[in-house]
Amino acid sequence: DGGITQSPKYLFRKEGQNVTLSCEQNLNHDAMYWYRQDPGQGLRLIYYSQIVNDFQKGDIAEGYSVSREKKESFPLTVTSAQKNPTAFYLCASSMLTATNEKLFFGSGTQLSVL
Amino acid sequence: SQQGEEDPQALSIQEGENATMNCSYKTSINNLQWYRQNSGRGLVHLILIRSNEREKHSGRLRVTLDTSKKSSSLLITASRAADTASYFCATAARSNDYKLSFGAGTTVTVRA
């Protein structure tokens, strides 16, 4: 089955702790994205990557970090600097085209603060 | 930055009725996309309409785009309980390097 797998489904963070959300895709897509979704709001872009070993900040990158060591994987670390991390996090991927085409999304990770 | 704004925020209809929701945006776009999200799940792509297209159909879905008014509408005909979900529009614009910008969504409830 081709798709995007996010894990874990639920994650709890203690004060001052860094946590890492996993995102893996087997669609052979070049581009991968991380979005944050707060209740009743749209998606806001955290980071995106169009090629291995390269990534760019989105609209709300502060307090987050990413890596892209493999084409299939794009983990997101929520650092202790992110003071309001409770949200639903969505990973997505797409084929890399001159203009953005459709995104394929994972099932999301709900992050809560203990 | 969020460009699209959906209207209404919430919609409740009877099974079999049509559901219409609208999306307005601010800057010129290359394409506009609609996505569906079931509660607690990821988004699923429904349909993409390019800036040089005016109308597109996919099954029970009909999307229109009016670039002069910077608006789009999504019509779901003969709704079913399974259509209960949140619907988001997303725009891709050259001014934003074609990164998708999502609106806040319309929550649709289809009553049996």
Side-chain angles (χ1 to χ4, degrees):
Chain A
D1 256 350
I4 301 181
T5 302
Q6 288 187 242
S7 63
K9 179 72 175 170
Y10 301 96
L11 188 57
F12 297 90
R13 194 191 87 167
K14 294 180 183 176
E15 196 78 34
Q17 187 182 42
N18 293 354
V19 292
T20 297
L21 285 61
S22 170
C23 178
E24 303 274 334
Q25 56 101 357
N26 60 4
L27 299 168
N28 200 32
H29 286 166
D30 288 304
M32 296 186 75
Y33 311 81
W34 275 105
Y35 288 91
R36 170 178 171 143
Q37 185 178 30
D38 291 281
Q41 295 190 32
L43 278 64
R44 291 184 289 169
L45 183 63
I46 304 172
Y47 268 99
Y48 65 104
S49 168
Q50 295 179 324
I51 195 169
V52 174
N53 292 323
D54 189 42
F55 47 83
Q56 285 78 41
K57 293 181 180 179
D59 300 316
I60 55 164
E62 188 173 346
Y64 300 97
S65 66
V66 293
S67 63
R68 187 88 187 275
E69 296 176 3
K70 298 187 300 181
K71 186 176 183 178
E72 303 79 19
S73 179
F74 192 41
L76 172 74
T77 296
V78 183
T79 74
S80 57
Q82 172 49 246
K83 297 307 179 189
N84 183 24
T86 297
F88 191 54
Y89 291 86
L90 287 159
C91 179
S93 70
S94 71
M95 292 176 60
L96 195 59
T97 59
T99 59
N100 210 338
E101 302 294 319
K102 67 179 184 179
L103 298 182
F104 292 77
F105 283 85
S107 295
T109 293
Q110 176 63 51
L111 176 62
S112 303
V113 176
L114 286 175
Chain B
S1 58
Q2 293 189 302
Q3 177 171 216
E5 286 187 14
E6 288 92 340
D7 172 60
Q9 286 187 329
L11 184 59
S12 180
I13 56 174
Q14 201 74 31
E15 204 165 23
E17 292 180 340
N18 295 344
T20 300
M21 60 211 85
N22 304 294
C23 171
S24 59
Y25 56 90
K26 299 187 179 77
T27 64
S28 295
I29 60 170
N30 175 271
N31 69 67
L32 185 145
Q33 303 176 33
W34 286 92
Y35 289 80
R36 183 187 74 229
Q37 183 181 35
N38 290 93
S39 182
R41 305 290 293 177
L43 279 69
V44 174
H45 182 267
L46 295 176
I47 199 163
L48 180 153
I49 187 165
R50 301 187 190 282
S51 59
N52 61 353
E53 297 174 312
R54 292 295 166 258
E55 188 170 313
K56 225 170 171 182
H57 296 255
S58 176
R60 293 183 296 112
L61 305 179
R62 174 179 168 247
V63 169
T64 62
L65 179 64
D66 186 337
T67 53
S68 67
K69 294 182 180 177
K70 292 187 169 60
S71 69
S72 172
S73 68
L74 170 66
L75 168 68
I76 305 172
T77 60
S79 63
R80 305 166 182 170
D83 295 328
T84 294
S86 292
Y87 293 82
F88 295 87
C89 71
T91 54
R94 184 179 175 183
S95 60
N96 195 27
D97 292 329
Y98 304 110
K99 299 192 300 290
L100 284 183
S101 179
F102 286 82
T106 292
T107 299
V108 175
T109 303
V110 181
R111 306 185 307 273

